[in-house]
Amino acid sequence: MPDIPHPLAPERRSSPRPLALELRVHGVHGAAPEKLLDDPRTVRVTGDATAAVFRRTADAEAEAHPERYAGRPVVEAYCWSRLTSGNGSRALWLLLLPFMVVNLAHWARPAVPDGAPQPRAVRTYGLLVRIIALSLTLLLIAAACEVALDLLAWQCAGSHPCTRSRWWLHFAEPGRWWGQPGRRLALAALVPAALTGLLWFLSNRTWSAYESQTPPAGHENGTGASGAPALGPALGRPGFWYGRRIVARLRAAHTAAGLLTVAAAVAVPVARRDAAAGAAVLESVGWALEALLVAGAAAVAWVVCRRGRTEARADHRLDRAATTLLPGAALALLGAVLVYACWSRPGWTSSGRLPGDFAFGLLMLGQGCCIVALAAVARSLYRRAPDPATALRGLGGPAVAVLACALGGVMSGGVAGRFADWLGEEAPAEPPVLLSWQAAVLPPVLLALACLAGLHAAGAARTRRRIAAGVAAEYPGSVPDRDRSRRIAGARTAAALTDSAPRFAAALSGITLLLGAGALAGAWLTGEVPGEAARGAHPLLEAAARAAQDAGSWLVGLGFLLFVTWGRRAYRDPAARRTVGVLWDVGTFWPRAAHPFAPPCYAERAVPDLTWRMTAWTGRTGGRLVISGHSQGSVLAAAAVWQLPPHVRHRVALLTYGSPLRRLYGRWFPAYFGSGPLLSLHRDVDCWRNLWRATDPIGGPVVPGAGPAVDRGPLPDPVAYGRTAEQPLPAPVLGHFEYQDDPAFAAERDALLARLSGPRPLPDDHCGADGARPGAAPAAPGTGAGTGLPAPRLSRERAEPGDPPGTAG
């Protein structure tokens, strides 16, 4: 029987082959360069201590001796794990989890039809997400104001038993200079103001390190001959990974919003007292300050609503008026309010609670209205280009926004509740009623999720038994082993549970939205915490309400502890990163388009790194390159290939394995990784091969409809059912890891590299033999000829033409 050639195998030729490069990109679990390169001796070729490209020491001067690499590639490894890991203090980013989640809602919008201009609905979608993100900043600062101003300065410091039992509050006892309520409020306001400043500092520092990385210029692959932006996949647009302008604008607006929230929390009770006391001059000052607060709020709203992301080009401008004057004016106004509050008001005492219930209720009501409107816009977009593979039929973004608001509300309520409990029984400090209702929602939500998980577990058990019955038949000549079949079937069943995530998300968001509306109604109708509101009702209902209130408060406090503890472990322990790293790295993969205080986007450093490396190397050597990525590394590799100029992209092959491009990103982020963008990448890239297993809970097929042209799988896992001559010891179930140990990996990699160095392709041959498309000029090694590209250069600050607001939502 004649040998059947591999579909990617090149024809033989006698002419010398150009130098070939394999660029490896690891996944979320990270890997040392020594492991990626299979050599203990490595050298850093380019990069810094955070992210760098490594080679084997023996290959450091490969370009100077291409004759030594006939028939084999030069192997490089791009190591980026330190972009998302480091010392344990970075675990504090987990406390900003609601900000990261709401930022995901921006990217989870449905796709628009291919070739269609960005409709107004896209801009409306982005606007609503930015408003929800702003409400979460207000919620965080309002919660800090609740703890510092209401519980501590107003309620506790205004009570003799509370101040007497705490030596550090003696200076604020009634009768002393700091004993006046206005002065206590002014002093306590420094805490939420400092929190706002800390958020600004972290955002500004990461903005300088990530968003302000200068992209290459002269390689704009999204412009036509006239220089006007051309439509194409969003991840291929020149400004996609350069969010310098939008993050600076949003940072200024959110910082000003936080400072104005603190100023309002101080000014409102003081102005009310002056109005009640009939102090004409102070009352006029109070009215003037409140008018300025309203004007500042309008300015913040204008900045947030005015402009979204600009992706068609790298926008180098900064809105100096917004980024400098807005937070500066808010800080000056806060200072004026603090001076106004410190004015002497003899005889004024604090009693009851500050008006926090109204503020928190208004925030929660506004969030609910925005989420409903967001769902309507998302459905409208989905109906324009329906895709059954899209999660929740286009409602994935609103569902994510619900979860972000729920996280913010529950965390705020839990912090206030735990702080009130910490003050002790002798302190008459009570948090707002609504926050107690929000914390009480957590136990019912967890109970509902437990029931849903039980139903899925029962279904998974049935699926496991069905799969186990046919596992042995997949390995011809094997003797059936019940335990072995059950283990293999269990791995496949567990991996398939990933496809149930949309149903869990739909149930969680729906239950949360309904219970949140009930909590708001209960707080406003009763004016009491759940336990007190249920007093006198049926004993079972009363016990359930009190148990939910107490358990919810403790669960949130425990959650904070687990966040910090597990976060430190995840940043320090690679094994722990495998557990939480997938969702965390998905969240921080996307640029900060909606919330400037979210954790920074590591891809804004990693994608340009890879793009620069591939463009510079192919232009300098004229060689061919295959970029191989595992797990999240495959997403970075695909995003970098999208950013390549067309001539370079046609000289690059893509090898992915364990890739979530379709299974996770394509489902939840269809506008960027849906069927249309992935098919477009399949057409543009020289060759693309993807390996996947049925036991992999993350990876899967990547290009719908392409079939064997791209996807090879499911690969046998384990490679042998029992002991064989080739596998004398039991083969493990590898799942998501160790793809390099599968014989298919080496075969596909070698075929891609050989194909890139082979002869020219036929016009209808997608995977070109030498990586070039018909009509492309040949390239001479070392000259970069035929690329049609100038050498990479740095962009410079320059004036840009105006563009319509929110061109990318």
Side-chain angles (χ1 to χ4, degrees):
M1 181 177 179
D3 294 336
I4 300 176
H6 192 279
L8 296 179
E11 300 176 7
R12 296 180 181 177
R13 66 174 189 172
S14 58
S15 57
R17 296 178 176 181
L19 192 65
L21 179 71
E22 179 190 359
L23 179 57
R24 299 177 179 176
V25 187
H26 62 72
V28 297
H29 61 283
E34 294 81 7
K35 182 177 181 181
L36 284 173
L37 298 174
D38 298 322
D39 194 315
R41 297 166 298 176
T42 63
V43 60
R44 185 169 66 191
V45 176
T46 182
D48 53 23
T50 303
V53 172
F54 293 85
R55 280 187 185 179
R56 300 184 180 101
T57 303
D59 297 336
E61 303 296 333
E63 287 77 9
H65 305 282
E67 68 280 357
R68 300 177 182 175
Y69 297 89
R72 66 185 181 93
V74 179
V75 182
E76 290 185 346
Y78 177 68
C79 299
W80 57 274
S81 59
R82 290 188 62 84
L83 290 173
T84 57
S85 63
N87 57 44
S89 63
R90 297 191 65 176
L92 295 176
W93 285 114
L94 290 172
L95 302 180
L96 305 180
L97 185 61
F99 300 163
M100 183 186 79
V101 175
V102 77
N103 193 66
L104 284 180
H106 173 92
W107 302 105
R109 69 167 175 83
V112 296
D114 292 339
Q118 298 285 1
R120 182 172 298 178
V122 172
R123 297 194 292 271
T124 304
Y125 184 96
L127 171 62
L128 289 171
V129 175
R130 293 198 300 275
I131 293 175
I132 296 172
L134 179 63
S135 72
L136 288 177
T137 297
L138 298 179
L139 181 61
L140 174 66
I141 303 303
C145 291
E146 171 60 30
V147 170
L149 275 69
D150 187 10
L151 297 179
L152 185 60
W154 184 265
Q155 298 187 49
C156 179
S159 169
H160 282 289
C162 187
T163 55
R164 189 179 303 114
S165 61
R166 291 167 176 81
W167 60 267
W168 45 274
L169 281 179
H170 290 172
F171 73 97
E173 290 180 346
R176 295 176 179 265
W177 192 90
W178 286 106
Q180 291 190 12
R183 292 169 179 169
R184 297 201 306 265
L185 291 176
L187 182 62
L190 298 179
V191 174
L195 175 61
T196 305
L198 176 63
L199 293 175
W200 175 89
F201 170 76
L202 292 175
S203 179
N204 184 70
R205 187 180 67 175
T206 55
W207 174 77
S208 302
Y210 291 83
E211 281 88 2
S212 295
Q213 291 292 318
T214 308
H219 299 311
E220 284 78 1
N221 52 342
T223 58
S226 63
L231 293 175
L235 274 77
R237 296 170 188 166
F240 189 89
W241 300 108
Y242 190 61
R244 184 169 180 253
R245 184 180 188 184
I246 182 63
V247 174
R249 285 175 59 88
L250 291 178
R251 182 180 67 244
H254 283 241
T255 302
L259 296 175
L260 292 176
T261 300
V262 179
V266 175
V268 169
V270 176
R272 283 186 177 182
R273 185 269 172 192
D274 291 339
V281 176
L282 290 178
E283 183 179 2
S284 300
V285 174
W287 279 108
L289 291 175
E290 288 182 339
L292 290 175
L293 288 174
V294 172
V300 169
W302 184 86
V303 170
V304 171
C305 299
R306 174 66 181 89
R307 185 183 299 277
R309 281 173 55 86
T310 302
E311 297 173 354
R313 53 181 170 76
D315 196 345
H316 300 273
R317 289 182 298 175
L318 290 180
D319 304 286
R320 298 294 181 182
T323 57
T324 304
L325 295 181
L326 188 58
L331 184 61
L333 182 55
L334 174 61
V337 167
L338 297 184
V339 173
Y340 164 69
C342 287
W343 202 266
S344 179
R345 295 172 176 85
W348 184 22
T349 59
S350 59
S351 61
R353 293 195 297 256
L354 290 178
D357 279 313
F358 175 77
F360 285 106
L362 190 63
L363 274 174
M364 189 173 181
L365 180 62
Q367 288 175 344
C369 293
C370 287
I371 288 172
V372 172
L374 187 69
V377 175
R379 284 297 297 175
S380 174
L381 285 170
Y382 179 77
R383 285 194 295 267
R384 296 170 184 246
D387 183 357
T390 300
L392 306 182
R393 296 185 178 274
L395 295 179
V400 172
V402 169
L403 299 182
C405 294
L407 280 171
V410 171
M411 291 169 65
S412 301
V415 169
R418 299 312 307 150
F419 189 81
D421 293 341
W422 176 76
L423 289 177
E425 297 182 356
E426 73 279 2
E430 299 178 359
V433 172
L434 179 59
L435 296 186
S436 298
W437 279 85
Q438 288 177 331
V441 164
L442 185 58
V445 170
L446 294 179
L447 180 61
L449 288 180
C451 295
L452 185 62
L455 293 176
H456 277 80
R462 293 191 296 269
T463 303
R464 177 184 178 184
R465 289 193 296 269
R466 177 177 55 81
I467 295 176
V471 167
E474 299 176 7
Y475 297 85
S478 300
V479 179
D481 184 337
R482 181 180 179 182
D483 291 338
R484 180 68 164 172
S485 296
R486 286 173 59 86
R487 284 195 295 270
I488 298 173
R492 295 183 186 177
T493 304
L497 290 177
T498 302
D499 300 324
S500 303
R503 292 194 289 272
F504 271 95
L508 179 58
S509 59
I511 294 171
T512 300
L513 190 62
L514 291 176
L515 291 180
L520 180 60
W524 278 2
L525 291 176
T526 65
E528 296 179 332
V529 296
E532 295 298 324
R535 186 181 296 275
H538 190 278
L540 185 60
L541 178 60
E542 181 179 354
R546 189 169 295 277
Q549 175 184 328
D550 296 339
S553 178
W554 280 103
L555 282 173
V556 174
L558 179 63
F560 267 111
L561 181 62
L562 291 178
F563 270 144
V564 176
T565 303
W566 191 257
R568 286 180 61 89
R569 183 183 174 191
Y571 277 114
R572 291 177 177 271
D573 184 5
R577 279 186 55 77
R578 295 185 179 186
T579 306
V580 300
V582 174
L583 294 179
W584 184 254
D585 281 12
V586 168
T588 54
F589 168 80
W590 295 100
R592 294 184 280 194
H595 208 299
F597 298 154
C601 167
Y602 64 88
E604 289 197 294
R605 164 70 191 273
V607 172
D609 280 357
L610 292 170
T611 305
W612 268 94
R613 183 56 182 167
M614 289 188 287
T615 304
W617 189 87
T618 55
R620 180 165 56 92
T621 66
R624 302 294 187 261
L625 183 149
V626 59
I627 180 170
S628 64
H630 171 242
S631 187
Q632 189 69 15
S634 69
V635 183
L636 291 174
V641 170
W642 254 310
Q643 286 285 310
L644 291 174
H647 291 82
V648 177
R649 191 185 305 135
H650 296 163
R651 304 164 69 85
V652 171
L654 182 59
L655 175 61
T656 56
Y657 42 101
S659 174
L661 276 170
R662 176 67 175 169
R663 194 175 189 183
L664 177 60
Y665 282 83
R667 180 172 296 179
W668 288 98
F669 311 105
Y672 305 93
F673 289 99
S675 302
L678 289 177
L679 284 171
S680 175
L681 181 63
H682 171 48
R683 289 190 299 266
D684 293 342
V685 75
D686 184 81
C687 294
W688 186 1
R689 298 292 284 171
N690 176 68
L691 309 178
W692 64 283
R693 302 185 181 115
T695 55
D696 190 341
I698 297 174
V702 293
V703 181
V710 174
D711 294 305
R712 177 173 175 179
L715 301 177
D717 188 29
V719 294
Y721 183 82
R723 297 175 185 266
T724 65
E726 295 78 12
Q727 297 286 337
L729 300 180
V733 178
L734 299 176
H736 182 59
F737 301 101
E738 308 300 339
Y739 272 86
Q740 296 89 338
D741 293 344
D742 194 295
F745 177 85
E748 295 294 345
R749 179 197 59 193
D750 294 344
L752 282 173
L753 290 170
R755 184 71 170 182
L756 286 172
S757 300
R760 284 183 164 278
L762 296 175
D764 60 347
D765 187 0
H766 174 71
C767 286
D770 64 349
R773 288 295 187 270
T783 64
T787 63
L789 297 169
R793 59 183 176 86
L794 291 179
S795 300
R796 296 181 179 177
E797 295 282 348
R798 59 184 183 274
E800 300 282 2
D803 58 310
T807 55

PDB file of all heavy atoms in Angstrom, residues 16 94 196 286 328 784:
ATOM      1  N   PRO A  16      18.216  25.504  -1.055  1.00  0.00           N
ATOM      2  CA  PRO A  16      18.358  25.684   0.392  1.00  0.00           C
ATOM      3  C   PRO A  16      17.110  26.320   0.984  1.00  0.00           C
ATOM      4  O   PRO A  16      16.493  27.200   0.393  1.00  0.00           O
ATOM      5  CB  PRO A  16      19.581  26.610   0.514  1.00  0.00           C
ATOM      6  CG  PRO A  16      19.724  27.253  -0.820  1.00  0.00           C
ATOM      7  CD  PRO A  16      19.191  26.288  -1.818  1.00  0.00           C
ATOM      8  N   LEU A  94      -7.789  41.102  43.910  1.00  0.00           N
ATOM      9  CA  LEU A  94      -9.013  40.324  44.021  1.00  0.00           C
ATOM     10  C   LEU A  94     -10.120  41.109  44.709  1.00  0.00           C
ATOM     11  O   LEU A  94     -11.307  40.827  44.504  1.00  0.00           O
ATOM     12  CB  LEU A  94      -8.735  39.023  44.782  1.00  0.00           C
ATOM     13  CG  LEU A  94      -7.889  37.982  44.054  1.00  0.00           C
ATOM     14  CD1 LEU A  94      -7.545  36.844  44.991  1.00  0.00           C
ATOM     15  CD2 LEU A  94      -8.603  37.467  42.836  1.00  0.00           C
ATOM     16  N   THR A 196      -9.980  56.487  47.537  1.00  0.00           N
ATOM     17  CA  THR A 196     -10.089  56.979  46.158  1.00  0.00           C
ATOM     18  C   THR A 196      -8.712  57.299  45.587  1.00  0.00           C
ATOM     19  O   THR A 196      -8.404  56.979  44.439  1.00  0.00           O
ATOM     20  CB  THR A 196     -10.988  58.221  46.115  1.00  0.00           C
ATOM     21  OG1 THR A 196     -12.251  57.914  46.700  1.00  0.00           O
ATOM     22  CG2 THR A 196     -11.196  58.688  44.690  1.00  0.00           C
ATOM     23  N   GLY A 286     -23.898  76.183  52.313  1.00  0.00           N
ATOM     24  CA  GLY A 286     -24.270  74.802  52.070  1.00  0.00           C
ATOM     25  C   GLY A 286     -24.984  74.620  50.747  1.00  0.00           C
ATOM     26  O   GLY A 286     -24.693  73.682  49.992  1.00  0.00           O
ATOM     27  N   GLY A 328      -8.900  67.417  39.763  1.00  0.00           N
ATOM     28  CA  GLY A 328      -8.395  68.532  40.562  1.00  0.00           C
ATOM     29  C   GLY A 328      -9.513  69.385  41.121  1.00  0.00           C
ATOM     30  O   GLY A 328      -9.483  69.787  42.296  1.00  0.00           O
ATOM     31  N   GLY A 784      14.752  40.794   4.333  1.00  0.00           N
ATOM     32  CA  GLY A 784      13.369  41.148   4.580  1.00  0.00           C
ATOM     33  C   GLY A 784      12.662  41.549   3.318  1.00  0.00           C
ATOM     34  O   GLY A 784      11.562  42.070   3.346  1.00  0.00           O
TER      35      GLY A 784
END
